[in-house]
Amino acid sequence: MMLHRRHFIATAGAAGLLAASSPRLSLAAAGTDRRLVLIVLRGAMDGLGAVVPYADPDYRSVRGTLALAEPGQEGGVLDLDGRFGLHPVLAPLHEWWGQKQLLAVHAIATPYRDRSHFDAQDLLDTGGIRAGDDSGWLNRALARLDGGGKGLGLSLGQGVPLVLRGSVPVASWAPSPLPEPTMDFMDRVAGLYSNDPVLGPALMAGLGVADMANGMDGNKKRDGGKDRLILAETAGRMLSDPAGPRIATLELSGWDTHVGQGTLQGRLPNALGQLAETMVALRTSMQAVWDQTLIAVVTEFGRTIRPNGTGGTDHGTAGVALLAGGALNGGRVLGDWPGLRDDKLFEGRDLAPTTDMRALLKGVLVGHLGLPAADIDRYVFPEAKSVRALPELVRA
């Protein structure tokens, strides 16, 4: 499906870009050369299954059937620093570690402690301490960038997630299975709205985004399992455009592994493999600007230390977050590791949180996007003034 600009604006229309745009949305030259991609893993990734604390003396006893082999053994984890290892299906990212372009923060969590997906995702998106806020922390961060952030934000997927909603207009894009309208039809639509002060500029913004999305393989058929790769490739293409957006969000589902989580095969390895493919697709499509790029991978909470009776894990507390990119000062596992001994667990069942998720997000905004710390405390995370940004996340 070749995504011509006329096709895009007719098929995305009010349900896509225009619903999230404003009359002033412009894809003019951006005020920053830095790119940020936020990947949100919906459903709660098991951090102990992704970045494995294989050297912890209690790891094997508490993980039981979900324990992975040590580095060098068949099916073993890929060593990072002598303490932690990557799940073997994340092998495509292991090379990034050696290039100092991958970093993990373990035992990380938002302030939320009640283990409900809905509330936890809400607070992850808003950056607050209570559910019900109507703006996302990333949209508030956009507002502090040059030009008020207009034209710099992009959501890839169906709709705009809460993290990117707010006063700053953002674009959204998703592949569409609908047939392409005729050129004559779109010319008529453009003429109809050419003098409309509200819809006219929004229409033109949509055409601009579609031009950036152009170039996809016109012979590809829609495959729901591959849409994430189309989204990643399109995100990279748009973000690489000198006149394109600078900040994008992607959401990946399938992380709620109550049943059949698995070790080398199962729901978690499948999801981790898809995450690795998505990140590789982003890097491949962003080669021209990779040195200016940071990818942040976050999830609403972790999962229980011990497996449940159905071969899975239940909702937990602390987990792991990942950073990647050419701008990263990586090759490290950050965070104060609390250990897996019974008396070190949160409520006797979960990995105890030692790093506030907002410390990581603040560190990204300060170090990578160059936002003043005072602005972040006042406007982006006003309920987290006491939380210090993680330092030195970005290459000097």
Side-chain angles (χ1 to χ4, degrees):
M1 175 180 61
M2 183 68 76
L3 292 169
H4 296 294
R5 57 188 232 161
R6 289 178 170 81
H7 178 183
F8 173 88
I9 200 60
T11 57
L17 175 92
L18 296 185
S21 299
S22 87
R24 294 198 208 170
L25 179 58
S26 170
L27 295 175
T32 177
D33 287 330
R34 296 292 182 125
R35 274 77 167 177
L36 173 63
V37 181
L38 178 70
I39 300 178
V40 183
L41 309 180
R42 303 293 187 187
M45 177 179 69
D46 179 25
L48 296 182
V51 180
V52 181
Y54 70 87
D56 188 292
D58 298 292
Y59 168 69
R60 300 203 170 278
S61 63
V62 298
R63 289 302 268 181
T65 57
L66 294 181
L68 288 162
E70 293 188 1
Q73 299 179 356
E74 183 178 357
V77 300
L78 307 172
D79 184 54
L80 296 178
D81 63 354
R83 302 176 302 149
F84 298 92
L86 281 182
H87 191 289
V89 301
L90 294 176
L93 305 183
H94 193 238
E95 182 180 351
W96 300 12
W97 177 269
Q99 299 167 344
K100 298 190 182 303
Q101 296 183 10
L102 182 70
L103 177 152
V105 185
H106 228 312
I108 191 170
T110 72
Y112 182 73
R113 298 290 179 268
D114 290 336
R115 304 185 183 97
S116 162
H117 284 302
F118 303 104
D119 290 343
Q121 291 179 14
D122 195 48
L123 296 183
L124 176 65
D125 285 3
T126 64
I129 59 174
R130 65 185 65 84
D133 290 346
D134 58 2
S135 70
W137 64 265
L138 192 52
N139 190 280
R140 298 194 297 271
L142 276 172
R144 311 315 304 169
L145 294 174
D146 289 351
K150 290 182 173 63
L152 300 186
L154 173 68
S155 170
L156 278 298
Q158 298 295 336
V160 178
L162 177 56
V163 68
L164 203 51
R165 293 183 216 154
S167 63
V168 179
V170 299
S172 69
W173 184 88
S176 172
L178 299 179
E180 184 174 339
T182 65
M183 184 177 297
D184 179 68
F185 172 79
M186 288 313 303
D187 285 341
R188 289 173 182 269
V189 172
L192 181 64
Y193 291 107
S194 61
N195 296 320
D196 190 300
V198 175
L199 297 179
L203 176 65
M204 296 310 296
L207 298 179
V209 171
D211 280 340
M212 293 177 209
N214 213 349
M216 303 295 293
D217 183 355
N219 296 318
K220 283 185 179 178
K221 294 183 179 181
R222 287 293 304 279
D223 179 347
K226 295 298 183 182
D227 274 1
R228 58 186 165 75
L229 296 182
I230 296 175
L231 292 172
E233 293 163 0
T234 303
R237 183 173 296 109
M238 291 182 177
L239 291 165
S240 298
D241 193 297
R246 293 293 180 262
I247 296 174
T249 60
L250 284 166
E251 297 179 290
L252 298 180
S253 59
W255 301 92
D256 198 13
T257 52
H258 288 286
V259 178
Q261 176 170 309
T263 51
L264 300 179
Q265 294 183 341
R267 295 181 63 191
L268 180 62
N270 290 344
L272 290 172
Q274 291 174 4
L275 172 62
E277 289 177 352
T278 300
M279 294 175 69
V280 169
L282 274 170
R283 179 171 183 171
T284 300
S285 60
M286 297 184 72
Q287 279 300 319
V289 294
W290 184 246
D291 286 347
Q292 300 163 312
T293 297
L294 205 63
I295 300 171
V297 182
V298 298
T299 194
E300 65 259 38
F301 46 62
R303 307 194 72 83
T304 50
I305 296 294
R306 296 178 175 86
N308 59 26
T310 55
T313 51
D314 297 322
H315 300 175
T317 305
V320 73
L322 302 174
L323 294 182
L328 185 67
N329 176 25
R332 300 175 290 155
V333 178
L334 302 183
D336 183 10
W337 180 247
L340 299 176
R341 201 173 66 203
D342 282 351
D343 63 336
K344 299 295 185 181
L345 302 181
F346 180 74
E347 297 185 348
R349 49 169 276 170
D350 299 342
L351 182 65
T354 60
T355 298
D356 192 313
M357 180 71 74
R358 296 167 300 179
L360 173 65
L361 302 177
K362 282 186 175 186
V364 169
L365 297 179
V366 172
H368 185 57
L369 295 185
L371 294 185
D375 280 6
I376 293 173
D377 285 342
R378 182 175 180 183
Y379 300 106
V380 182
F381 296 111
E383 296 175 317
K385 292 184 174 65
S386 63
V387 177
R388 288 190 167 188
L390 292 183
E392 300 178 351
L393 297 177
V394 178
R395 289 187 293 104

